[in-house]
Coordinates of all heavy atoms in Angstrom, one line a residue:
M289 N -23.2 -50.3 -23.1 CA -23.6 -49.8 -21.8 C -23.1 -48.4 -21.7 O -22.0 -48.1 -21.9 CB -23.1 -50.8 -20.8 CG -23.5 -50.2 -19.4 SD -22.5 -51.1 -18.1 CE -23.7 -51.5 -17.0
R290 N -24.1 -47.5 -21.5 CA -23.7 -46.1 -21.2 C -23.8 -45.9 -19.7 O -24.8 -46.1 -19.0 CB -24.7 -45.2 -22.0 CG -24.4 -45.2 -23.5 CD -25.1 -44.2 -24.0 NE -24.4 -42.9 -23.7 CZ -24.2 -41.9 -24.6 NH1 -24.7 -42.0 -25.8 NH2 -23.5 -40.8 -24.2
L291 N -22.7 -45.2 -19.2 CA -22.8 -44.7 -17.9 C -23.5 -43.3 -17.9 O -23.5 -42.6 -18.7 CB -21.4 -44.6 -17.3 CG -20.6 -45.9 -17.2 CD1 -19.3 -45.7 -16.7 CD2 -21.4 -46.8 -16.3
P292 N -24.2 -43.0 -16.6 CA -24.8 -41.6 -16.6 C -23.8 -40.6 -16.6 O -22.6 -40.8 -16.1 CB -25.6 -41.8 -15.3 CG -25.1 -42.8 -14.5 CD -24.5 -44.0 -15.5
N293 N -24.1 -39.6 -17.2 CA -23.2 -38.4 -17.3 C -23.1 -37.7 -15.9 O -24.1 -37.3 -15.2 CB -23.8 -37.4 -18.2 CG -22.9 -36.3 -18.6 OD1 -21.7 -36.4 -18.1 ND2 -23.3 -35.2 -19.1
Q294 N -21.8 -37.7 -15.3 CA -21.7 -37.1 -14.1 C -21.0 -35.7 -14.3 O -20.0 -35.6 -14.8 CB -20.8 -38.0 -13.2 CG -21.5 -39.3 -12.9 CD -20.6 -40.1 -12.1 OE1 -19.4 -39.8 -11.9 NE2 -21.1 -41.2 -11.5
D295 N -21.6 -34.7 -13.7 CA -21.1 -33.4 -13.6 C -20.1 -33.2 -12.4 O -20.4 -33.4 -11.4 CB -22.1 -32.3 -13.5 CG -21.6 -30.9 -13.6 OD1 -20.5 -30.7 -14.1 OD2 -22.3 -29.9 -13.3
R296 N -18.8 -33.1 -12.8 CA -17.8 -33.1 -11.8 C -17.6 -31.8 -11.1 O -16.9 -31.5 -10.2 CB -16.4 -33.5 -12.4 CG -16.5 -34.9 -12.9 CD -15.0 -35.4 -13.3 NE -15.2 -36.6 -14.1 CZ -15.2 -37.9 -13.5 NH1 -15.2 -37.9 -12.1 NH2 -15.2 -38.9 -14.1
H297 N -18.3 -30.7 -11.7 CA -18.2 -29.4 -11.1 C -19.3 -29.3 -10.0 O -20.4 -29.4 -10.3 CB -18.4 -28.3 -12.2 CG -17.4 -28.3 -13.3 ND1 -16.0 -28.0 -13.1 CD2 -17.6 -28.7 -14.6 CE1 -15.5 -28.1 -14.3 NE2 -16.3 -28.6 -15.2
T298 N -18.8 -28.8 -8.8 CA -19.8 -28.7 -7.8 C -20.4 -27.2 -8.0 O -19.8 -26.2 -8.3 CB -19.2 -28.8 -6.4 OG1 -18.1 -27.9 -6.3 CG2 -18.6 -30.2 -6.2
A299 N -21.7 -27.1 -7.6 CA -22.3 -25.8 -7.6 C -21.8 -24.9 -6.5 O -21.6 -25.4 -5.4 CB -23.7 -25.9 -7.4
M300 N -21.4 -23.6 -6.8 CA -20.9 -22.8 -5.8 C -22.1 -22.2 -5.0 O -23.2 -21.9 -5.6 CB -20.1 -21.6 -6.5 CG -19.4 -20.7 -5.4 SD -18.6 -19.3 -6.3 CE -17.5 -20.1 -7.4
T301 N -21.9 -22.1 -3.8 CA -23.0 -21.5 -2.9 C -23.1 -20.0 -3.1 O -22.3 -19.4 -3.7 CB -22.6 -21.9 -1.4 OG1 -21.5 -21.2 -1.0 CG2 -22.4 -23.3 -1.1
R302 N -24.2 -19.5 -2.5 CA -24.3 -18.1 -2.6 C -23.2 -17.3 -1.8 O -22.8 -16.3 -2.4 CB -25.8 -17.8 -2.0 CG -26.2 -16.4 -2.4 CD -27.6 -16.2 -1.9 NE -28.2 -17.0 -1.0 CZ -29.5 -17.2 -0.7 NH1 -30.3 -16.4 -1.4 NH2 -30.0 -18.1 0.1
S303 N -22.8 -17.9 -0.8 CA -21.7 -17.3 -0.1 C -20.4 -17.2 -0.9 O -19.6 -16.3 -0.9 CB -21.3 -18.0 1.2 OG -22.5 -17.9 2.0
G304 N -20.2 -18.3 -1.6 CA -19.0 -18.4 -2.5 C -19.1 -17.5 -3.6 O -18.0 -16.8 -4.0
H305 N -20.3 -17.1 -4.2 CA -20.5 -16.1 -5.1 C -20.1 -14.7 -4.7 O -19.4 -13.8 -5.2 CB -21.9 -16.1 -5.7 CG -22.1 -17.1 -6.7 ND1 -22.9 -18.2 -6.5 CD2 -21.7 -17.3 -8.0 CE1 -22.9 -19.1 -7.5 NE2 -22.1 -18.4 -8.5
V306 N -20.6 -14.4 -3.3 CA -20.4 -13.1 -2.7 C -18.8 -13.0 -2.4 O -18.2 -11.9 -2.7 CB -21.1 -13.1 -1.4 CG1 -20.7 -11.8 -0.6 CG2 -22.6 -13.0 -1.7
L307 N -18.2 -14.0 -2.0 CA -16.8 -13.8 -1.7 C -16.0 -13.7 -3.1 O -15.0 -12.9 -3.0 CB -16.3 -15.3 -1.0 CG -16.7 -15.3 0.3 CD1 -16.4 -16.7 1.0 CD2 -16.2 -14.1 1.2
M308 N -16.4 -14.3 -4.0 CA -15.6 -14.2 -5.3 C -15.9 -12.8 -5.9 O -14.9 -12.1 -6.4 CB -16.3 -15.1 -6.4 CG -15.9 -16.6 -6.2 SD -14.2 -16.9 -6.5 CE -14.1 -16.8 -8.2
L309 N -17.1 -12.2 -5.7 CA -17.3 -10.8 -6.1 C -16.5 -9.8 -5.3 O -15.7 -9.0 -5.9 CB -18.8 -10.5 -5.9 CG -19.1 -8.9 -6.1 CD1 -19.1 -8.6 -7.5 CD2 -20.5 -8.7 -5.4
Y310 N -16.4 -10.0 -4.0 CA -15.5 -9.1 -3.2 C -14.1 -9.3 -3.5 O -13.3 -8.5 -3.4 CB -16.0 -9.2 -1.8 CG -17.1 -8.4 -1.4 CD1 -18.4 -9.1 -1.0 CD2 -17.3 -7.0 -1.6 CE1 -19.5 -8.4 -0.6 CE2 -18.4 -6.3 -1.4 CZ -19.5 -7.1 -0.9 OH -20.7 -6.3 -0.5
G311 N -13.7 -10.5 -3.8 CA -12.3 -10.8 -4.1 C -11.9 -10.1 -5.3 O -10.8 -9.6 -5.4
G312 N -12.8 -10.2 -6.4 CA -12.6 -9.6 -7.6 C -12.5 -8.0 -7.5 O -11.6 -7.4 -8.1
L313 N -13.4 -7.5 -6.7 CA -13.4 -5.9 -6.4 C -12.1 -5.7 -5.6 O -11.4 -4.6 -5.9 CB -14.5 -5.6 -5.6 CG -15.9 -5.6 -6.3 CD1 -17.0 -5.3 -5.4 CD2 -15.8 -4.6 -7.5
S314 N -11.6 -6.5 -4.8 CA -10.3 -6.2 -4.0 C -9.1 -6.2 -5.0 O -8.2 -5.4 -5.0 CB -10.1 -7.1 -2.8 OG -11.1 -7.1 -2.0
L315 N -9.1 -7.3 -5.9 CA -8.0 -7.3 -6.8 C -8.1 -6.1 -7.7 O -7.0 -5.6 -8.1 CB -8.2 -8.6 -7.7 CG -7.2 -8.8 -8.7 CD1 -5.8 -8.9 -8.2 CD2 -7.5 -10.1 -9.5
A316 N -9.2 -5.7 -8.2 CA -9.2 -4.5 -9.0 C -8.8 -3.3 -8.2 O -8.2 -2.4 -8.8 CB -10.8 -4.3 -9.6
A317 N -9.1 -3.1 -7.0 CA -8.6 -2.0 -6.2 C -7.1 -2.0 -6.1 O -6.4 -1.1 -6.2 CB -9.3 -1.9 -4.8
L318 N -6.5 -3.2 -5.9 CA -5.1 -3.3 -5.8 C -4.4 -2.9 -7.2 O -3.4 -2.2 -7.2 CB -4.7 -4.7 -5.4 CG -4.8 -5.1 -4.0 CD1 -4.6 -6.5 -3.7 CD2 -3.9 -4.2 -3.1
L319 N -5.1 -3.4 -8.2 CA -4.5 -3.1 -9.6 C -4.5 -1.6 -9.9 O -3.5 -1.0 -10.4 CB -5.2 -3.9 -10.6 CG -4.9 -5.4 -10.7 CD1 -5.8 -6.1 -11.7 CD2 -3.4 -5.7 -10.8
L320 N -5.7 -1.0 -9.4 CA -5.9 0.4 -9.7 C -4.9 1.3 -8.8 O -4.2 2.2 -9.3 CB -7.2 0.9 -9.2 CG -7.6 2.2 -9.5 CD1 -7.7 2.6 -11.0 CD2 -9.1 2.6 -8.9
A321 N -4.7 0.8 -7.5 CA -3.6 1.5 -6.7 C -2.3 1.3 -7.3 O -1.4 2.2 -7.2 CB -3.8 0.8 -5.3
A322 N -2.0 0.1 -7.7 CA -0.7 -0.1 -8.3 C -0.5 0.6 -9.6 O 0.7 1.1 -9.8 CB -0.4 -1.6 -8.6
G323 N -1.4 1.0 -10.3 CA -1.4 1.7 -11.5 C -1.0 3.2 -11.2 O -0.5 3.9 -12.0
R324 N -1.4 3.6 -10.1 CA -1.2 5.0 -9.7 C 0.1 5.1 -9.0 O 0.5 6.3 -8.6 CB -2.3 5.6 -8.9 CG -2.5 5.0 -7.4 CD -3.4 5.7 -6.7 NE -3.3 5.1 -5.3 CZ -4.2 5.3 -4.3 NH1 -5.3 6.0 -4.6 NH2 -4.0 4.7 -3.1
G325 N 0.8 4.0 -8.8 CA 2.1 4.0 -8.2 C 2.3 4.0 -6.7 O 3.3 4.0 -6.2
N326 N 1.2 3.8 -6.0 CA 1.2 3.6 -4.6 C 0.2 2.5 -4.3 O -1.1 2.7 -4.4 CB 0.8 4.9 -3.9 CG 0.9 4.8 -2.5 OD1 1.3 3.8 -2.0 ND2 0.6 5.9 -1.7
V327 N 0.6 1.3 -3.7 CA -0.3 0.3 -3.5 C -0.9 0.5 -2.2 O -1.9 -0.3 -1.8 CB 0.6 -1.1 -3.4 CG1 -0.4 -2.2 -3.3 CG2 1.3 -1.1 -4.8
D328 N -0.7 1.5 -1.4 CA -1.4 1.8 -0.1 C -2.7 2.2 -0.5 O -3.1 3.3 -1.0 CB -0.7 2.9 0.6 CG -1.3 3.1 2.1 OD1 -2.3 2.3 2.3 OD2 -0.7 4.0 2.8
L329 N -3.9 1.3 -0.3 CA -5.2 1.6 -0.7 C -5.9 2.7 0.2 O -6.7 3.4 -0.3 CB -6.1 0.4 -0.5 CG -5.7 -0.7 -1.5 CD1 -6.5 -2.0 -1.2 CD2 -5.9 -0.3 -2.9
Y330 N -5.4 3.0 1.4 CA -6.0 3.8 2.3 C -5.5 5.2 2.2 O -5.9 6.1 2.9 CB -5.9 3.3 3.7 CG -6.6 2.0 4.0 CD1 -6.0 0.8 4.2 CD2 -8.1 2.2 4.0 CE1 -6.8 -0.3 4.4 CE2 -8.7 1.0 4.2 CZ -8.2 -0.2 4.4 OH -8.9 -1.4 4.6
Q331 N -4.5 5.5 1.4 CA -4.0 6.9 1.5 C -4.0 7.4 0.1 O -3.4 6.9 -0.9 CB -2.4 6.7 1.9 CG -1.8 8.1 1.9 CD -0.3 8.0 2.6 OE1 0.1 6.8 2.9 NE2 0.3 9.1 2.6
L332 N -4.7 8.5 -0.1 CA -4.8 9.2 -1.3 C -3.7 10.2 -1.6 O -3.3 10.4 -2.7 CB -6.2 9.9 -1.6 CG -7.4 9.0 -1.6 CD1 -8.6 9.8 -1.6 CD2 -7.3 8.0 -2.9
D333 N -3.3 10.9 -0.6 CA -2.2 11.8 -0.5 C -1.4 11.7 0.7 O -1.7 10.9 1.5 CB -2.7 13.2 -0.8 CG -3.7 13.6 0.3 OD1 -3.8 13.0 1.2 OD2 -4.4 14.6 0.1
S334 N -0.4 12.4 0.8 CA 0.5 12.3 2.0 C 0.0 12.9 3.2 O 0.6 12.8 4.3 CB 1.9 12.9 1.6 OG 1.8 14.2 1.2
S335 N -1.1 13.7 3.0 CA -1.6 14.3 4.4 C -2.5 13.5 5.2 O -2.9 13.9 6.2 CB -2.5 15.6 3.9 OG -3.7 15.1 3.1
G336 N -2.8 12.2 4.9 CA -3.6 11.3 5.7 C -2.8 11.0 7.0 O -1.6 10.7 7.0
S337 N -3.5 10.9 8.0 CA -3.0 10.6 9.3 C -3.4 9.1 9.8 O -4.5 8.6 9.5 CB -3.3 11.5 10.3 OG -4.7 11.4 10.7
A338 N -2.5 8.5 10.6 CA -2.9 7.0 11.1 C -4.1 7.2 12.0 O -4.9 6.3 12.1 CB -1.7 6.5 11.8
R339 N -4.3 8.3 12.8 CA -5.4 8.4 13.6 C -6.7 8.4 12.9 O -7.6 7.7 13.4 CB -5.3 9.8 14.4 CG -6.3 9.9 15.4 CD -6.1 11.2 16.3 NE -5.2 12.2 15.6 CZ -5.2 13.4 16.0 NH1 -5.9 13.9 17.1 NH2 -4.5 14.3 15.3
W340 N -6.9 9.1 11.8 CA -8.1 9.0 11.0 C -8.3 7.6 10.4 O -9.5 7.1 10.4 CB -7.9 10.1 9.9 CG -9.2 10.0 9.1 CD1 -9.3 9.6 7.8 CD2 -10.6 10.4 9.4 NE1 -10.7 9.8 7.4 CE2 -11.4 10.1 8.4 CE3 -11.0 10.9 10.7 CZ2 -12.7 10.5 8.5 CZ3 -12.4 11.1 10.7 CH2 -13.3 10.9 9.6
L341 N -7.1 7.0 10.1 CA -7.3 5.6 9.6 C -7.8 4.7 10.6 O -8.7 3.8 10.3 CB -5.9 5.1 9.2 CG -5.9 3.7 8.4 CD1 -6.7 3.8 7.2 CD2 -4.4 3.4 8.1
L342 N -7.5 4.9 11.8 CA -8.0 4.0 12.9 C -9.5 4.5 13.4 O -10.3 3.6 13.8 CB -7.1 4.0 14.1 CG -5.8 3.3 13.9 CD1 -4.9 3.7 15.1 CD2 -5.8 1.9 13.6
L343 N -9.6 5.7 13.2 CA -11.0 6.3 13.7 C -12.1 6.0 12.8 O -13.2 5.8 13.1 CB -10.9 7.7 13.9 CG -12.0 8.5 14.5 CD1 -12.3 7.9 15.9 CD2 -11.8 10.0 14.5
S344 N -11.8 5.9 11.5 CA -12.9 5.7 10.4 C -13.6 4.4 10.7 O -14.9 4.4 10.6 CB -12.4 5.8 9.0 OG -11.3 4.8 8.8
P345 N -13.0 3.2 10.9 CA -13.9 2.0 11.2 C -14.7 2.1 12.5 O -15.8 1.7 12.6 CB -12.9 0.8 11.4 CG -11.7 1.4 10.6 CD -11.6 2.8 10.9
L346 N -14.1 2.8 13.5 CA -14.9 3.1 14.8 C -16.1 3.9 14.4 O -17.2 3.7 15.2 CB -14.0 3.7 15.8 CG -12.9 2.7 16.2 CD1 -12.0 3.5 17.2 CD2 -13.3 1.4 16.9
L347 N -16.1 4.8 13.5 CA -17.3 5.7 13.2 C -18.1 4.9 12.3 O -19.4 5.1 12.3 CB -16.8 6.9 12.6 CG -16.1 8.0 13.5 CD1 -15.5 9.1 12.6 CD2 -16.9 8.5 14.5
G348 N -17.7 4.0 11.4 CA -18.4 3.3 10.5 C -19.3 2.3 11.1 O -20.4 2.1 10.7
L349 N -18.9 1.7 12.2 CA -19.7 0.6 12.8 C -20.9 1.2 13.4 O -22.0 0.7 13.1 CB -18.8 -0.1 13.8 CG -19.5 -1.3 14.7 CD1 -19.8 -2.3 13.6 CD2 -18.5 -1.7 15.8
P350 N -20.8 2.3 14.3 CA -22.1 2.8 14.8 C -23.0 3.4 13.7 O -24.2 3.3 13.7 CB -21.7 4.0 15.7 CG -20.3 3.9 15.9 CD -19.8 2.9 14.8
F351 N -22.5 3.9 12.5 CA -23.2 4.4 11.5 C -24.0 3.2 10.9 O -25.1 3.3 10.4 CB -22.3 5.1 10.4 CG -23.2 5.6 9.3 CD1 -23.9 6.7 9.3 CD2 -23.0 5.0 8.0 CE1 -24.6 7.2 8.3 CE2 -23.7 5.4 7.0 CZ -24.6 6.6 7.0
G352 N -23.2 2.1 10.6 CA -23.9 0.8 9.9 C -25.0 0.4 10.8 O -26.0 -0.1 10.3
L353 N -24.8 0.3 12.1 CA -25.8 -0.2 13.0 C -26.9 0.8 13.0 O -28.1 0.3 13.2 CB -25.2 -0.3 14.5 CG -24.2 -1.4 14.7 CD1 -23.6 -1.4 16.0 CD2 -24.8 -2.7 14.3
L354 N -26.8 2.1 13.0 CA -27.9 3.0 12.7 C -28.7 2.8 11.5 O -29.9 2.8 11.6 CB -27.3 4.4 12.8 CG -28.4 5.5 12.6 CD1 -29.3 5.6 14.0 CD2 -27.7 6.9 12.6
V355 N -28.1 2.5 10.5 CA -28.8 2.2 9.2 C -29.5 1.0 9.4 O -30.7 0.9 8.9 CB -27.7 2.1 8.0 CG1 -28.4 1.5 6.8 CG2 -27.1 3.4 7.7
V356 N -29.0 -0.1 10.1 CA -29.8 -1.4 10.2 C -31.0 -1.1 11.0 O -32.2 -1.5 10.8 CB -28.9 -2.4 10.8 CG1 -29.7 -3.6 11.3 CG2 -27.9 -2.9 9.8
L357 N -30.8 -0.3 12.1 CA -31.9 0.1 13.0 C -33.0 0.9 12.3 O -34.2 0.6 12.4 CB -31.4 0.9 14.3 CG -32.6 1.3 15.2 CD1 -33.1 0.2 16.0 CD2 -31.9 2.3 16.2
L358 N -32.6 1.9 11.5 CA -33.7 2.7 10.9 C -34.4 1.7 9.7 O -35.6 2.0 9.6 CB -32.9 3.9 10.1 CG -32.4 5.0 11.2 CD1 -31.7 6.1 10.5 CD2 -33.6 5.5 12.0
S359 N -33.6 1.0 9.1 CA -34.2 0.1 8.1 C -35.3 -0.9 8.8 O -36.4 -1.1 8.1 CB -33.3 -0.6 7.2 OG -32.5 -1.6 8.0
R360 N -34.9 -1.3 9.9 CA -36.0 -2.2 10.5 C -37.1 -1.4 11.1 O -38.3 -1.9 11.1 CB -35.2 -2.8 11.8 CG -34.3 -4.0 11.3 CD -33.7 -4.7 12.5 NE -32.8 -5.7 11.8 CZ -32.8 -6.9 12.3 NH1 -33.5 -7.4 13.3 NH2 -31.8 -7.8 11.8
L361 N -36.9 -0.2 11.5 CA -38.0 0.6 12.0 C -38.8 1.0 10.7 O -40.3 1.1 10.9 CB -37.5 1.9 12.6 CG -37.0 1.8 14.1 CD1 -36.3 3.0 14.5 CD2 -38.1 1.2 14.9
A362 N -38.3 1.2 9.6 CA -39.0 1.6 8.3 C -39.8 0.4 8.0 O -41.0 0.5 7.5 CB -37.9 2.1 7.3
T363 N -39.3 -0.8 8.0 CA -40.0 -2.0 7.6 C -41.4 -2.2 8.5 O -42.3 -2.7 8.1 CB -39.1 -3.3 7.8 OG1 -38.0 -3.0 7.0 CG2 -39.8 -4.6 7.4
I364 N -41.2 -1.8 9.8 CA -42.3 -2.0 10.7 C -43.4 -0.9 10.4 O -44.5 -1.2 10.4 CB -41.9 -1.9 12.2 CG1 -41.0 -3.2 12.5 CG2 -43.0 -1.8 13.0 CD1 -40.3 -2.9 13.8
S365 N -42.9 0.3 10.1 CA -43.9 1.4 10.1 C -44.3 1.9 8.7 O -45.3 2.6 8.6 CB -43.4 2.6 10.9 OG -42.2 3.0 10.3
M366 N -43.6 1.7 7.6 CA -43.9 2.1 6.4 C -44.2 1.0 5.4 O -43.5 0.1 5.2 CB -42.7 2.9 5.8 CG -42.4 4.1 6.7 SD -40.9 4.9 6.0 CE -40.6 6.0 7.4
P367 N -45.3 1.1 4.6 CA -45.7 0.2 3.6 C -44.7 -0.1 2.6 O -44.6 -1.3 2.1 CB -47.1 0.5 3.2 CG -47.6 1.6 4.2 CD -46.4 2.2 4.7
W368 N -44.2 0.9 2.0 CA -43.2 0.7 1.0 C -42.0 -0.1 1.4 O -41.5 -0.9 0.6 CB -42.8 2.0 0.3 CG -42.0 2.9 1.3 CD1 -42.6 3.9 2.0 CD2 -40.7 2.9 1.5 NE1 -41.6 4.5 2.8 CE2 -40.4 3.9 2.4 CE3 -39.6 2.1 0.9 CZ2 -39.0 4.2 2.8 CZ3 -38.3 2.4 1.4 CH2 -38.0 3.3 2.4
A369 N -41.6 0.1 2.6 CA -40.3 -0.5 3.1 C -40.8 -2.1 3.4 O -40.0 -2.9 3.2 CB -40.0 0.0 4.5
R370 N -41.9 -2.3 3.8 CA -42.4 -3.6 4.0 C -42.5 -4.4 2.6 O -42.0 -5.5 2.6 CB -43.8 -3.7 4.7 CG -43.8 -4.4 6.0 CD -45.3 -4.5 6.5 NE -46.2 -3.4 6.2 CZ -46.3 -2.3 7.0 NH1 -45.4 -2.0 8.0 NH2 -47.2 -1.4 6.7
G371 N -43.0 -3.7 1.6 CA -42.9 -4.3 0.3 C -41.6 -4.7 -0.2 O -41.4 -5.7 -0.8
L372 N -40.7 -3.7 0.0 CA -39.3 -3.9 -0.4 C -38.7 -5.1 0.3 O -38.0 -5.9 -0.3 CB -38.5 -2.6 -0.2 CG -37.0 -2.6 -0.7 CD1 -37.0 -2.7 -2.3 CD2 -36.3 -1.3 -0.3
H373 N -39.0 -5.2 1.6 CA -38.5 -6.2 2.5 C -38.9 -7.6 1.8 O -38.2 -8.5 1.7 CB -38.8 -6.1 3.8 CG -38.5 -7.1 4.8 ND1 -37.2 -7.3 5.2 CD2 -39.2 -8.1 5.3 CE1 -37.2 -8.4 6.0 NE2 -38.3 -8.8 6.1
Q374 N -40.2 -7.7 1.6 CA -40.8 -9.0 1.2 C -40.3 -9.2 -0.3 O -39.9 -10.5 -0.6 CB -42.3 -8.7 1.0 CG -42.9 -8.8 2.4 CD -44.5 -8.4 2.5 OE1 -45.0 -7.9 1.4 NE2 -45.1 -8.5 3.5
S375 N -40.1 -8.3 -1.1 CA -39.4 -8.5 -2.5 C -38.2 -9.1 -2.3 O -37.7 -10.0 -3.0 CB -39.5 -7.2 -3.2 OG -40.7 -6.8 -3.5
F376 N -37.2 -8.5 -1.5 CA -35.9 -9.0 -1.3 C -36.0 -10.5 -0.6 O -35.1 -11.4 -1.1 CB -35.1 -8.1 -0.3 CG -34.3 -7.1 -1.1 CD1 -34.5 -5.7 -0.9 CD2 -33.6 -7.4 -2.1 CE1 -33.9 -4.8 -1.5 CE2 -32.9 -6.3 -2.9 CZ -33.1 -5.0 -2.5
R377 N -36.9 -10.7 0.3 CA -37.0 -12.0 0.8 C -37.4 -13.1 -0.2 O -36.9 -14.1 -0.3 CB -38.0 -12.0 2.0 CG -38.3 -13.5 2.5 CD -38.8 -13.3 3.8 NE -37.8 -13.1 4.8 CZ -37.8 -13.2 6.1 NH1 -38.9 -13.6 6.6 NH2 -36.8 -12.9 6.9
E378 N -38.3 -12.7 -1.2 CA -38.8 -13.6 -2.2 C -37.5 -13.8 -3.2 O -37.4 -14.9 -3.7 CB -39.8 -13.0 -3.0 CG -41.2 -12.9 -2.2 CD -42.3 -12.3 -3.0 OE1 -41.9 -11.8 -4.2 OE2 -43.3 -12.0 -2.4
L379 N -36.7 -12.8 -3.5 CA -35.6 -12.9 -4.4 C -34.5 -13.7 -3.8 O -33.9 -14.6 -4.5 CB -35.1 -11.5 -4.7 CG -33.9 -11.5 -5.7 CD1 -34.3 -11.9 -7.1 CD2 -33.4 -10.0 -5.8
L380 N -34.2 -13.4 -2.5 CA -32.9 -14.2 -1.8 C -33.4 -15.3 -1.0 O -32.5 -16.1 -0.9 CB -32.2 -13.1 -1.0 CG -31.7 -11.8 -1.7 CD1 -31.2 -10.9 -0.7 CD2 -30.7 -12.3 -2.7
G381 N -34.6 -15.5 -0.6 CA -34.8 -16.6 0.2 C -34.4 -16.5 1.6 O -33.9 -15.4 2.0
E382 N -34.4 -17.6 2.4 CA -34.0 -17.5 3.8 C -32.5 -17.5 3.7 O -31.8 -18.2 2.9 CB -34.4 -18.8 4.5 CG -36.0 -18.7 4.9 CD -36.3 -17.7 5.7 OE1 -35.6 -17.4 6.7 OE2 -37.3 -17.1 5.6
Q383 N -32.0 -16.7 4.7 CA -30.5 -16.5 4.7 C -30.0 -17.4 5.9 O -30.6 -17.2 7.1 CB -30.1 -15.1 4.9 CG -30.6 -14.2 3.7 CD -29.8 -14.5 2.6 OE1 -28.6 -14.4 2.4 NE2 -30.5 -14.7 1.4
S384 N -28.9 -18.1 5.8 CA -28.3 -18.7 7.0 C -27.5 -17.7 7.8 O -27.2 -16.6 7.2 CB -27.5 -19.9 6.6 OG -26.3 -19.4 5.9
G385 N -27.1 -18.0 9.0 CA -26.1 -17.2 9.7 C -24.9 -16.9 9.0 O -24.2 -15.9 9.0
K386 N -24.3 -17.9 8.3 CA -23.1 -17.7 7.6 C -23.2 -16.8 6.4 O -22.3 -16.0 6.3 CB -22.7 -19.2 7.1 CG -21.4 -19.2 6.2 CD -21.1 -20.6 5.6 CE -20.1 -20.4 4.7 NZ -19.8 -21.8 4.0
E387 N -24.3 -16.9 5.7 CA -24.6 -16.0 4.6 C -24.8 -14.6 5.2 O -24.3 -13.7 4.4 CB -25.8 -16.5 3.9 CG -25.6 -17.7 3.1 CD -26.8 -18.2 2.5 OE1 -27.9 -18.0 2.9 OE2 -26.7 -18.9 1.4
I388 N -25.4 -14.4 6.2 CA -25.5 -13.0 6.8 C -24.2 -12.5 7.2 O -24.0 -11.3 6.9 CB -26.6 -13.1 7.9 CG1 -28.0 -13.4 7.5 CG2 -26.5 -11.7 8.7 CD1 -28.9 -13.6 8.6
L389 N -23.4 -13.3 7.8 CA -22.0 -12.9 8.2 C -21.2 -12.4 7.0 O -20.4 -11.5 7.0 CB -21.4 -13.9 8.9 CG -20.0 -13.6 9.5 CD1 -20.0 -12.4 10.5 CD2 -19.3 -14.7 10.1
V390 N -21.4 -13.2 5.8 CA -20.5 -12.9 4.6 C -21.1 -11.6 4.1 O -20.4 -10.8 3.6 CB -20.6 -14.0 3.7 CG1 -20.1 -13.7 2.3 CG2 -19.9 -15.3 4.1

């Protein structure tokens, strides 16, 4: 009597793959920073200020929202953007809220 072959490895979700990618990139950044002798990832030289370190995410958020807004407008008004949007949708499929957050 033969038992059916059971695969004990569970398939990783798309979110898991994305998290593994960014985890690997983070590890590579830490190793690169350690190789240069300073593990502080946000400071290239001693002239950096804490104010700029706090200000940069506050500037990045509106910039990111502007990019999203412009890409949505482009999808509505430009045929090439609509085609690109459809191609990505075919490639990636429907995204859950968790996947979008990741």
Side-chain angles (χ1 to χ4, degrees):
M289 174 193 232
R290 287 194 73 141
L291 295 175
N293 188 10
Q294 294 179 348
D295 187 13
R296 298 189 190 275
H297 301 290
T298 58
M300 190 181 304
T301 63
R302 196 172 13 197
S303 298
H305 282 106
V306 169
L307 290 174
M308 289 290 291
L309 172 70
Y310 282 117
L313 289 173
S314 298
L315 180 62
L318 281 173
L319 291 173
L320 185 67
R324 69 176 185 190
N326 184 5
V327 187
D328 187 1
L329 294 175
Y330 292 109
Q331 186 173 355
L332 292 176
D333 56 14
S334 61
S335 67
S337 69
R339 184 174 23 167
W340 180 249
L341 184 62
L342 293 174
L343 187 62
S344 61
L346 295 176
L347 293 174
L349 183 63
F351 180 74
L353 291 173
L354 178 66
V355 168
V356 168
L357 175 68
L358 291 175
S359 66
R360 288 185 180 221
L361 289 173
T363 303
I364 292 169
S365 61
M366 298 178 189
W368 66 266
R370 244 186 323 278
L372 184 64
H373 175 77
Q374 290 170 352
S375 295
F376 274 122
R377 178 163 276 197
E378 289 172 7
L379 179 68
L380 299 174
E382 288 294 320
Q383 303 290 308
S384 69
K386 178 185 171 186
E387 289 174 330
I388 292 171
L389 182 63
V390 169

